[in-house]
Amino acid sequence: MYDGVLSVVNGSGIELVTFADDVTVVVRDRDVSRAKEKMACAIKRVSRWMAARGLELVAQKTKLAMLTGKRRLAAFNLGVLGQTIETDSKVKVLGVWLDKNLSFIPHAREISDKAMAVYGALCKVFPNTGGARESRRRVMAAAVMSGILYAAEVWWPATKWGTAMASVNRVIRLLALRICCGYRTVQLEDALVLGGYGPRR
């Protein structure tokens, strides 16, 4: 039934992408005012389609972002169901943070901070000296790494910029040290080998 929402918007440069109950409206246009009109029209049509089927578009959860690359364009707002939605510098789509440059640096920082929180909680269970054997420490590391590697096929190429890689390496190094019970002074490359991750490529 919900697949029908994909057919409510037909227009050049407009595309609907859905997953479960999430709907993303993608508008491509070189003119900002035209893009804004297309976006407003698409949202109205989606909202009407939902209302006709007893569903509701939640304005509070609606996010707006411009993916402009290196172009510097003035931010704008959009009216959605009586509420004004401001343009964000980044937006989360299915667990991945998209920024205007598609650098994915904000995403790398977000997942690294989240992984550090999980790592900190697990460190209380697995002290660096003594405690669980290496196999169990690897299970701990895998739990943290699963969060880091989520949708890596999309954002991992961004690690070539260095900033994103530095955020991720900070967590991976700590995980490797926790696995091999190494000192904090152990360098990243050595920690990766001792922790069983192999040398960085």
Side-chain angles (χ1 to χ4, degrees), residues 36-93:
K36 183 177 179 180
E37 291 176 3
K38 290 180 180 180
M39 181 67 73
C41 180
I43 291 177
K44 285 181 181 179
R45 290 186 179 183
V46 170
S47 179
R48 289 172 184 169
W49 183 92
M50 288 184 172
R53 288 155 181 79
L55 304 175
E56 183 182 358
L57 181 65
V58 183
Q60 293 85 351
K61 293 184 178 180
T62 302
K63 302 296 181 181
L64 176 66
M66 289 194 298
L67 309 181
T68 61
K70 295 182 179 180
R71 295 179 63 193
R72 294 185 178 182
L73 301 177
F76 63 89
N77 53 53
L78 196 66
V80 178
L81 301 178
Q83 295 196 24
T84 302
I85 308 298
E86 301 287 343
T87 305
D88 290 331
S89 59
K90 60 181 180 178
V91 61
K92 192 176 185 180
V93 179

Side-chain angles (χ1 to χ4, degrees), residues 75-117:
F76 63 89
N77 53 53
L78 196 66
V80 178
L81 301 178
Q83 295 196 24
T84 302
I85 308 298
E86 301 287 343
T87 305
D88 290 331
S89 59
K90 60 181 180 178
V91 61
K92 192 176 185 180
V93 179
L94 299 178
V96 178
W97 288 95
L98 304 178
D99 58 286
K100 78 179 192 71
N101 296 324
L102 289 180
S103 68
F104 294 102
I105 292 175
H107 177 76
R109 288 173 176 165
E110 290 284 347
I111 61 170
S112 296
D113 291 343
K114 188 174 181 179
M116 283 296 293

Side-chain angles (χ1 to χ4, degrees), residues 18-187:
T18 63
F19 182 84
D21 61 342
D22 286 332
V23 180
T24 302
V25 181
V26 181
V27 174
R28 296 180 179 88
D29 203 305
R30 291 187 173 274
D31 185 76
V32 176
S33 59
R34 261 200 322 261
K36 183 177 179 180
E37 291 176 3
K38 290 180 180 180
M39 181 67 73
C41 180
I43 291 177
K44 285 181 181 179
R45 290 186 179 183
V46 170
S47 179
R48 289 172 184 169
W49 183 92
M50 288 184 172
R53 288 155 181 79
L55 304 175
E56 183 182 358
L57 181 65
V58 183
Q60 293 85 351
K61 293 184 178 180
T62 302
K63 302 296 181 181
L64 176 66
M66 289 194 298
L67 309 181
T68 61
K70 295 182 179 180
R71 295 179 63 193
R72 294 185 178 182
L73 301 177
F76 63 89
N77 53 53
L78 196 66
V80 178
L81 301 178
Q83 295 196 24
T84 302
I85 308 298
E86 301 287 343
T87 305
D88 290 331
S89 59
K90 60 181 180 178
V91 61
K92 192 176 185 180
V93 179
L94 299 178
V96 178
W97 288 95
L98 304 178
D99 58 286
K100 78 179 192 71
N101 296 324
L102 289 180
S103 68
F104 294 102
I105 292 175
H107 177 76
R109 288 173 176 165
E110 290 284 347
I111 61 170
S112 296
D113 291 343
K114 188 174 181 179
M116 283 296 293
V118 178
Y119 168 80
L122 291 175
C123 281
K124 297 177 182 179
V125 183
F126 297 102
N128 198 37
T129 56
R133 57 182 180 270
E134 182 180 334
S135 59
R136 293 189 177 181
R137 292 174 182 270
R138 290 190 180 281
V139 173
M140 174 204 73
V144 180
M145 285 296 293
S146 64
I148 294 177
L149 296 177
Y150 173 76
E153 297 87 350
V154 176
W155 64 268
W156 193 258
T159 55
K160 66 182 179 181
W161 301 113
T163 304
M165 192 74 248
S167 298
V168 176
N169 277 342
R170 177 170 55 103
V171 183
I172 296 177
R173 177 177 174 274
L174 291 175
L175 290 175
L177 291 176
R178 189 63 59 166
I179 291 174
C180 67
C181 298
Y183 292 106
R184 293 184 178 181
T185 54
V186 177
Q187 297 298 315

